[in-house]
Amino acid sequence: MTPGPLTVPRPAPLAALRAPLANRTNALHAGAWWLWALGLAAAASRTTNPLLLALLVVVAGYVVTSRRTDAPWARSYGVFLLLGLAVLAMRLLFAVLLGSPVGGTRVLFTLPEVPLPDWAQGVRIGGRVTAEGMAFAFRDGMRLAALLVCVGAANALASPARLLKSLPGALYEAGVAVVVAMTFAPNLVADVRRVRAARRLRGRPDRGVRSVLQVALPVLEGALERSVALAAAMDARGYGRTARVSPAVRRTTTACTLGGLLGVCVGAYGLLSADGAAFALPALGLGLAAALVGLRLGGRRAARSRYRPDRWGVRAWLVAGSGAAVAVGVLAAAAADPSALTPPAVPLTAPTLPVGAVTACLLGLLPAFVAPLPAERAGAASAGESGRSPAPVATTRARSVPRPRRSAP
């Protein structure tokens, strides 16, 4: 009996859509994470509905929880959450102490009002605190907090170094400054945690004002040492070295860049205003074209090589498209039903959940299913399904090679 041909099992159709395990070759482009986060931020800026803002925060938090790594910048998301809560608390505190521009009839309590001179007319300290004013301040503060959370999500998911590698040559020097500024907060948080953990291990208190003062000195010392090391590394890699270009190219680059930025500003202003919609799109298009030409010519001055540039693949398009879909969907919902996206404070109205805007916000969850899965998350998920501790990712070669058996005498 002759054996039949070997049949290779075909993968299931849905298996190709599953997120692969992240590695150096399929890492998601950092620009896709920023476009996704900016889409969520744009949607948050167009609404004061606290339910929709809370939904956007939950969407951003779920994606960050499922796709962030153990890198230092990924640990800064909690700081942005606390910063958002602080902004919300300060907005409410100012509404209580300084009043609110929105009037109201439902008085919650009355504070003693401080008399001010005549030149400070229009400003008051204390007085009546109404429910309408507090509701307006809460919605406004929550919008600012949601914007901060969206920026924190991009900061936790996108690698600043990979984002710098993808910038055009004309923006390299400015991008280095931005990346250094972006990595300052995550490194500062990592230093604070490291010093506090060391104090706990030594049996010293890590809470209180005195502990904060004692932690500040080693954190400041670490920041200075890191700055010196970064400056030495940049000097060793030839940072600031430029190639020679003709004066005509320099002047053309300057004119195109400045003219392009001016056109983009005028076009954006026209799009945001109600009267300038006729000239907004042509000005925006000409500005973008001039800016691109300026960036292309300015890239000739950058004498540097690029090693293994990140690919903008299908999954990057899906992640960036989900953020754009959230922004466009919320904008369309705001145009169709403005009162649902910005519920009035006077008279005090309970917020509702418009179906179209909720559907658009839920599209922001797409990166949690299509973005490559970090190795740490994959190990934790497999351990949770099997009920065992996660297996180590890397194993030594000596353990993987079986020992040779001894032959019988």
Side-chain angles (χ1 to χ4, degrees):
M1 183 177 180
T2 58
L6 296 176
T7 59
V8 179
R10 296 181 178 180
L14 295 178
L17 300 178
R18 293 178 182 175
L21 197 63
N23 53 43
R24 291 186 177 181
T25 59
N26 64 353
L28 196 68
H29 201 284
W33 284 124
W34 272 101
L35 290 177
W36 168 79
L38 291 178
L40 265 64
S45 66
R46 304 301 295 179
T47 179
T48 57
N49 190 328
L51 299 179
L52 285 179
L53 292 172
L55 181 60
L56 286 173
V57 172
V58 170
V59 168
Y62 181 79
V63 175
V64 170
T65 304
S66 60
R67 286 300 182 268
R68 72 175 174 179
T69 60
D70 291 338
W73 59 81
R75 303 170 187 171
S76 62
Y77 183 69
V79 178
F80 281 93
L81 285 177
L82 296 177
L83 187 60
L85 292 177
V87 168
L88 180 59
M90 291 181 64
R91 184 68 180 86
L92 292 176
L93 181 62
F94 286 161
V96 171
L97 296 179
L98 304 179
S100 175
V102 177
T105 57
R106 302 181 180 181
V107 180
L108 297 177
F109 53 89
T110 303
L111 294 176
E113 188 168 356
V114 178
L116 296 177
D118 296 337
W119 54 267
Q121 291 182 356
V123 180
R124 70 177 179 87
I125 301 177
R128 299 189 312 162
V129 179
T130 61
E132 290 86 350
M134 295 302 295
F136 177 78
F138 176 75
R139 294 169 184 176
D140 194 29
M142 195 165 181
R143 179 169 58 179
L144 295 177
L147 290 174
L148 284 173
V149 170
C150 293
V151 174
N155 206 357
L157 292 171
S159 170
R162 302 183 80 93
L163 181 63
L164 176 63
K165 192 169 62 173
S166 304
L167 286 178
L171 300 177
Y172 181 73
E173 296 180 358
V176 170
V178 173
V179 168
V180 171
M182 288 170 54
T183 54
F184 174 76
N187 290 328
L188 188 65
V189 173
D191 286 347
V192 170
R193 291 182 175 177
R194 177 175 54 80
V195 174
R196 291 183 63 187
R199 290 181 62 85
R200 283 196 299 270
L201 290 176
R202 294 172 182 171
R204 297 178 180 176
D206 60 337
R207 298 181 182 276
V209 179
R210 187 176 180 182
S211 173
V212 171
L213 295 177
Q214 293 177 350
V215 166
L217 184 59
V219 169
L220 180 61
E221 183 182 358
L224 291 176
E225 290 180 354
R226 192 166 51 250
S227 301
V228 172
L230 177 62
M234 293 171 68
D235 183 66
R237 287 167 174 79
Y239 176 75
R241 183 180 58 188
T242 57
R244 291 183 179 180
V245 294
S246 62
V249 173
R250 289 203 301 269
R251 288 193 289 269
T252 306
T253 302
T254 305
C256 290
T257 305
L258 294 180
L261 292 178
L262 182 62
V264 169
C265 293
V266 172
Y269 175 78
L271 286 178
L272 295 177
S273 64
D275 300 332
F279 66 87
L281 289 179
L284 184 61
L286 291 176
L288 287 176
L292 290 177
V293 172
L295 292 177
R296 183 70 176 176
L297 293 177
R300 296 182 180 181
R301 297 180 67 247
R304 64 188 181 92
S305 59
R306 186 177 299 178
Y307 181 68
R308 289 184 180 180
D310 290 339
R311 298 178 180 177
W312 188 278
V314 178
R315 299 185 184 276
W317 280 111
L318 291 175
V319 171
S322 67
V326 173
V328 173
V330 173
L331 287 175
D337 191 4
S339 60
L341 272 294
T342 56
V346 180
L348 197 59
T349 306
T352 58
L353 274 176
V355 179
V358 171
T359 306
C361 293
L362 292 179
L363 291 177
L365 291 173
L366 185 62
F369 303 98
V370 300
L373 186 65
E376 301 85 1
R377 305 293 170 186
S382 60
E385 292 176 358
S386 60
R388 297 177 299 178
S389 58
V393 177
T395 56
T396 58
R397 184 178 179 85
R399 292 179 181 178
S400 60
V401 177
R403 296 180 178 179
R405 297 180 179 179
R406 295 181 178 179
S407 58

